[in-house]
Amino acid sequence: MTMTPTRRGAGLVAAGALVAGALGALPMSAAHAAEVTTDYSCDYTGGPHASSLSADVQAPATILTGQPLTLSATGVEYAWGATWSQAGRDYSMKYKGVTATVPVIVNGVALAQPAKLTFDDADLVVPAAGNMTWPAKIAFPAIPTTSGADVSVTFGKVDFDMQVALSLVGGGNIFIPAKVPCAVSGAAPTVASVDVLPPGTLASAAALRAVGKPVVGQRLSAVGGTTTPASAVAYTWLVGGKAAGAGAAYVVKPADLGKAVALSSRATKVGYKTKITTVTVGKVAAGTFVVPGKPKVTGKAKVGKTLTAKPRAVAGTKVTYQWLKNGKAVKGAKAKKLKLKKSFKGKKVSVKVTYTRAGYRTVVVTSAAKKVKK
């Protein structure tokens, strides 16, 4: 039927309502469910019109708590009801850009994200005879299973968005946007029914241990703590019972001196109980460092002259001095320089340099001695 220009606007609005029909069914229970159909009805001028969606939905029969449930479907087909399909043919109705959102209701509560139904534009043509049936695709949101309760999935009201057009006088089409909500006719069928099992147990695959010694300045490495089945393993280093670092390696700090070090692993896998293992590494000992050679003493070893200590440089250390006369400490001679008095005549003078660093053992090095001349 061709519409006149004066009737075109009203006809397009009615066509926009007609285009809705309703969304249908998504089957599913065990691993692979037989085709199931959900019936819907859409109200528009002229009364409600029936439609349905049928599909073969796949899902696991069981799933572990914490694993997201994923549904998929094949053979998805949307059918327009016979109560108005003839009107679609009379008006030469055409559609494009049709999509629909369908609330996914899990155990009576709708998920925040709906399922989405899409059609290929090439398929959206009213047939010359029979019901209008269009193949479709449906995308499901992931369904959480954190509560541990078995999962029962149904669908709610379908909201269609589309572009719809009628044949115009003189030929051609003008597409207009249309939105059509469709309610479930009667009780919504169950499209998925999945048993949620208790979380599994992760078995130890390799023992947790730390490689290296708990000594200031040393690097400790975490190995093991892995599980069967494989899981994501995170390491935490504990010093004095408190978390001090994360990751597979830890460098022992001066502040750790004298404290107990432990290593903890946390193995996680969706659908399994978290496995936490802790092992003792040991009590932190002082670190050691090496002084590359003895300090030197510069200057003439002669009464009235000044000697200067030249210690070897060691990064991060503090040095102190003690001058010696014939191997014995000279009272008050703790500076880098020493002025030789008459009392040093004929004596052997040397300097003792002490290196200190927090968390490390102290190192003392003495220079070679110089005999003082007159």
Side-chain angles (χ1 to χ4, degrees), residues 294-302 306-312 321-324 336-338 340 348-353 365-372:
K294 296 181 177 182
K296 294 183 178 180
V297 175
T298 61
K300 290 185 177 181
K302 186 176 181 181
T306 300
L307 299 179
T308 302
K310 298 287 186 180
R312 301 283 185 170
Y321 305 94
Q322 176 61 64
W323 289 92
L324 307 175
K336 188 174 183 178
K337 296 178 180 293
L338 175 69
L340 298 174
K348 292 183 178 180
V349 177
S350 58
V351 65
K352 180 173 67 176
V353 179
V365 185
T366 303
S367 70
K370 283 190 172 186
K371 188 172 183 180
V372 179

Side-chain angles (χ1 to χ4, degrees), residues 42-208:
C42 295
D43 289 320
Y44 62 94
T45 302
H49 293 266
S51 63
S52 63
L53 180 74
S54 61
D56 183 5
V57 178
Q58 296 85 49
T62 61
I63 196 168
L64 293 173
T65 300
Q67 288 182 320
L69 173 61
T70 301
L71 309 183
S72 61
T74 57
V76 183
E77 186 176 77
Y78 181 73
W80 298 82
T83 55
W84 60 270
S85 59
Q86 185 58 48
R89 285 189 285 274
D90 290 344
Y91 287 110
S92 300
M93 293 172 67
K94 294 183 179 181
Y95 314 91
K96 67 179 181 179
V98 181
T99 60
T101 58
V102 192
V104 178
I105 301 171
V106 179
N107 297 339
V109 179
L111 297 182
Q113 182 181 355
K116 294 184 178 181
L117 188 70
T118 57
F119 302 86
D120 292 334
D121 285 347
D123 298 324
L124 306 185
V125 178
V126 178
N131 289 342
M132 292 176 283
T133 55
W134 297 334
K137 298 181 180 67
I138 190 162
F140 297 95
I143 299 173
T145 60
T146 54
S147 67
D150 292 343
V151 172
S152 178
V153 180
T154 57
F155 288 92
K157 181 184 71 173
V158 180
D159 290 316
F160 280 93
D161 284 282
M162 65 197 75
Q163 296 285 322
V164 61
L166 306 178
S167 294
L168 303 176
V169 175
N173 298 104
I174 295 178
F175 285 91
I176 62 171
K179 291 181 177 291
V180 183
C182 298
V184 177
S185 299
T190 299
V191 296
S193 182
V194 180
D195 291 334
V196 179
L197 304 179
T201 300
L202 296 171
S204 179
L208 177 67

